[in-house]
């Protein structure tokens, strides 16, 4: 009788052997473009740290590029540093039902490995699609108890998904895939403690996940064998990282089957996704009303319970903290207008209008919105002014969700803004964009451009 791990692998491998529909391949290219834009944005903020990491790791030389930094390093170093850089700006994709950011660890591992092994564009995209599948299915099976136990699914499920993606990309045997999956699972880690206070370690969770995927693949290729059922049983993955889980989420269901990558959202704002519905509701209020912010008495934000704790703080001491704060996000939008992907600059941390308004924002969990989550990530913003006027808007799907997606043009515009802002020339950024859209035919071209 097959165990849970074997069944999961069998299901994933079966999907990898099927023909991937063209619309899914198009969406995988959209995910790549969104990742590259996020990496360029992160490189603008973390270039010095990325260079320092190369030195500290003893990996200043190599052939694998660090995106946006004009540096090349080792295969392992590139996965780690690109995973950090691409998660730094808080602009990377995610899946709300899994509370996970698949793209950053997955692309940070697959791109350098594909370059190292000279993988074709077609196999690269297949690895991307199946890597997302493995990551999201695992995350959905253990959430929300995984998060409530303090784990960061981008670090745990992200690394496992990246491992599976690489093994599918290189055409590994089922036995090798199982051993790589096992190595990835037993080394998976990363906690949400990284969000506390002035910590800047959240991106390290993503980088560690990408690097651990490279290491797990190497372990399997070197012949290391894993346990029979790494996912289930005492001390298995589910037992260790969740208090409750839904194994049905691990396997395909032909009655409702969609690719997991179809559940990905893209961020229009450089903030934690929990801030987006409140920001969109605030934006809707501003579109309909002309509000004098000096008259604002208080701002009431209702959202789902998981979006409150860790995101309701009104005091921020650095950009990372600001991007996690619903009060700061809402106040910033009210003061300076539509912030777009370049919002949350360090200058805004000292804007007294923003800070004063943020102190007037209260964030509460709504029973209705909590019940709707994760099928809907809703928020209601109510603004009360001195003259007793009340302005209120509710958003059930923030911009960028599959139900309210960014268009191809908007995805490309976001990429272009971020790439050019990071210092890339218009010529280079447009060449990267073009090569990404033309995959799988342009894989070697994309390698050289990065």
């Amino acid at each position: 009788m097959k165990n849970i791990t074997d069944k999961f692998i069998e299901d994933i491998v079966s999907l990898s052997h099927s023909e991937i529909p063209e619309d899914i391949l198009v969406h995988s290219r959209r995910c790549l473009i969104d990742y590259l834009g996020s990496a360029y944005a992160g490189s603008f903020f973390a270039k010095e740290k990325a260079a320092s990491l190369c030195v500290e790791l003893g990996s200043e030389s190599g052939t694998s590029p660090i995106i946006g930094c004009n540096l090349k390093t080792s295969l392992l170093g590139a996965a780690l540093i690109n995973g950090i850089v691409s998660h730094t700006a808080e602009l990377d994709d995610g899946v709300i039902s899994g509370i996970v950011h698949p793209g950053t660890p997955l692309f940070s591992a697959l791109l350098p490995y594909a370059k190292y092994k000279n993988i074709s564009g077609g196999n690269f995209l297949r690895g991307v699609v199946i890597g997302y599948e493995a990551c999201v299915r695992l995350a959905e099976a253990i959430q929300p108890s995984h998060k409530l136990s303090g784990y960061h699914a981008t670090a745990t499920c992200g690394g496992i998904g990246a491992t599976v993606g690489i093994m599918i990309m290189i055409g590994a045997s089922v036995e090798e895939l199982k051993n790589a999956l096992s190595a990835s699972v037993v080394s998976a880690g990363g906690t949400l403690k990284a969000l506390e206070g002035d910590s800047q370690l959240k991106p390290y969770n993503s980088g560690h996940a990408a690097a651990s995927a490279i290491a797990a693949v190497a372990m399997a290729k070197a012949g290391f064998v894993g346990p029979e059922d790494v996912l289930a049983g005492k001390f298995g993955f589910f037992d260790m990282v969740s208090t409750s889980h839904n194994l049905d989420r691990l396997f395909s269901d032909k009655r409702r089957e969609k690719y997991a990558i179809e559940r990905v959202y893209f961020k229009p704002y450089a903030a934690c996704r929990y801030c987006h519905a409140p920001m969109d509701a605030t934006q809707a209020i501003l579109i309909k009303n002309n509000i004098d912010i000096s008259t604002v008495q208080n701002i009431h934000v209702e959202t789902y319970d998981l979006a409150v704790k860790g995101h309701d703080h009104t005091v921020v001491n650095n950009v990372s903290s600001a991007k996690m704060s619903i009060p700061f996000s809402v106040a910033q939008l009210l003061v300076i207008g539509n912030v777009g992907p370049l919002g949350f600059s360090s200058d805004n941390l000292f804007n007294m209008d923003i800070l004063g308004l943020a102190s007037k924002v209260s964030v509460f969990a709504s029973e209705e919105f909590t019940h709707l989550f994760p099928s809907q990530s809703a928020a209601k913003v109510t603004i009360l002014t001195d003259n007793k006027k009340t302005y209120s808007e509710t958003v059930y799907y923030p911009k960028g969700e599959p139900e309210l997606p960014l268009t191809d043009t908007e995805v490309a515009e976001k990429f272009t803004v971020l790439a050019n802002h990071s210092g890339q020339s218009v010529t280079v950024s447009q060449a990267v964009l073009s090569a990404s859209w033309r995959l799988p035919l342009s894989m070697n071209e994309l390698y050289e451009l990065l």
Side-chain angles (χ1 to χ4, degrees):
M1 184 175 180
K2 292 178 181 175
N3 60 46
I4 295 297
T5 302
D6 289 333
K7 289 180 180 178
F8 177 61
I9 290 173
E10 180 181 66
D11 209 40
I12 287 292
V13 169
S14 175
L15 183 64
S16 76
H17 289 161
S18 63
E19 183 178 355
I20 300 175
E22 180 58 30
D23 63 317
I24 301 301
L25 293 176
V26 170
H27 196 50
S28 69
R29 294 193 282 268
R30 286 159 51 88
C31 290
L32 171 62
I33 291 166
D34 193 73
Y35 164 80
L36 292 173
S38 299
Y40 281 129
S43 73
F44 179 78
F45 298 109
K47 190 168 293 187
E48 291 183 6
K49 286 186 173 71
S52 180
L53 277 171
C54 279
V55 174
E56 293 297 326
L57 293 169
S59 58
E60 303 99 311
S61 61
T63 60
S64 298
I66 300 174
I67 298 167
C69 294
N70 197 29
L71 294 168
K72 290 189 177 181
T73 184
S74 66
L75 173 62
L76 198 61
L80 172 68
I81 299 171
N82 282 328
I84 292 170
V85 166
S86 58
H87 199 48
T88 294
E90 283 292 337
L91 280 161
D92 43 328
D93 70 16
V95 175
I96 200 72
S97 55
I99 318 178
V100 65
H101 298 280
T104 42
L106 197 137
F107 283 111
S108 296
L110 265 67
L111 271 172
Y113 201 93
K115 183 180 189 302
Y116 175 60
K117 293 292 187 180
N118 196 28
I119 300 297
S120 71
N123 286 334
F124 169 73
L125 291 181
R126 183 173 298 276
V128 168
V129 172
I130 303 303
Y132 269 86
E133 196 72 31
C135 170
V136 174
R137 287 193 193 184
L138 280 168
E140 290 180 338
I142 56 179
Q143 294 290 26
S145 74
H146 191 58
K147 175 183 170 66
L148 294 174
S149 298
Y151 284 97
H152 188 188
T154 303
T156 53
C157 301
I160 298 167
T163 301
V164 172
I166 291 175
M167 297 305 277
I168 293 298
M169 179 175 75
I170 65 176
S173 68
V174 171
E175 181 182 5
E176 283 184 318
L177 173 54
K178 182 175 181 178
N179 289 332
L181 172 72
S182 296
S184 185
V185 169
V186 300
S187 60
T191 80
L192 294 171
K193 194 73 173 178
L195 295 176
E196 283 192 8
D198 296 336
S199 172
Q200 297 177 335
L201 288 177
K202 183 170 180 273
Y204 177 55
N205 279 345
S206 173
H208 181 267
S212 72
I214 299 291
V217 169
M219 291 291 288
K221 299 294 285 183
F224 287 88
V225 177
E228 274 301 307
D229 192 3
V230 74
L231 293 178
K234 187 173 178 60
F235 301 142
F237 184 66
F238 300 124
D239 182 54
M240 295 296 291
V241 303
S242 64
T243 56
S244 64
H245 46 267
N246 181 359
L247 294 183
D248 288 343
R249 301 302 304 173
L250 281 180
F251 308 111
S252 60
D253 184 339
K254 300 305 180 185
R255 294 168 300 176
R256 56 171 172 77
E257 184 60 32
K258 282 190 174 184
Y259 283 85
I261 201 169
E262 295 181 82
R263 300 197 281 283
V264 165
Y265 64 72
F266 297 133
K267 290 182 176 181
Y269 310 123
C272 174
R273 190 57 171 174
Y274 293 150
C275 301
H276 284 228
M279 292 177 76
D280 281 355
T282 303
Q283 186 69 48
I285 291 172
L286 290 176
I287 289 172
K288 297 178 182 179
N289 306 279
N290 184 19
I291 299 175
D292 180 354
I293 62 170
S294 67
T295 67
V296 173
Q297 193 173 86
N298 62 66
I299 302 170
H300 185 96
V301 178
E302 296 176 66
T303 187
Y304 44 100
D305 57 358
L306 282 176
V308 177
K309 186 177 180 181
H311 305 280
D312 60 347
H313 53 287
T314 58
V315 177
V316 299
N317 296 318
N318 58 36
V319 172
S320 296
S321 177
K323 291 180 176 186
M324 294 294 120
S325 167
I326 290 174
F328 186 92
S329 300
V330 168
Q332 179 181 233
L333 202 152
L334 282 167
V335 171
I336 67 176
N338 191 349
V339 296
L342 295 178
F344 296 87
S345 69
S346 56
D347 290 343
N348 288 342
L349 299 180
F350 305 99
N351 185 316
M352 298 311 296
D353 289 335
I354 295 175
L355 298 180
L357 208 53
S359 69
K360 299 178 180 180
V361 180
S362 300
V363 185
F364 301 93
S366 156
E367 186 175 336
E368 176 195 355
F369 296 160
T370 297
H371 179 72
L372 291 174
F373 182 82
S375 61
Q376 296 178 342
S377 47
K380 178 180 180 181
V381 173
T382 302
I383 300 174
L384 177 65
T385 61
D386 290 339
N387 57 12
K388 305 303 180 186
K389 283 192 174 182
T390 299
Y391 307 89
S392 184
E393 288 288 342
T394 300
V395 165
Y396 290 95
Y397 296 108
K399 179 69 172 176
E401 289 292 325
E403 294 83 2
L404 194 63
L406 298 186
T407 65
D408 286 355
T409 298
E410 289 172 324
V411 170
E413 287 175 347
K414 175 185 170 182
F415 166 85
T416 301
V417 167
L418 296 175
N420 294 345
H421 181 72
S422 74
Q424 304 304 308
S425 70
V426 173
T427 300
V428 169
S429 65
Q430 291 308 299
V432 170
L433 184 62
S434 174
S436 299
W437 280 129
R438 287 185 285 108
L439 283 174
L441 301 177
S442 54
M443 197 68 200
N444 289 332
E445 181 183 343
L446 181 62
Y447 288 155
E448 295 307 314
L449 287 167
L450 297 179

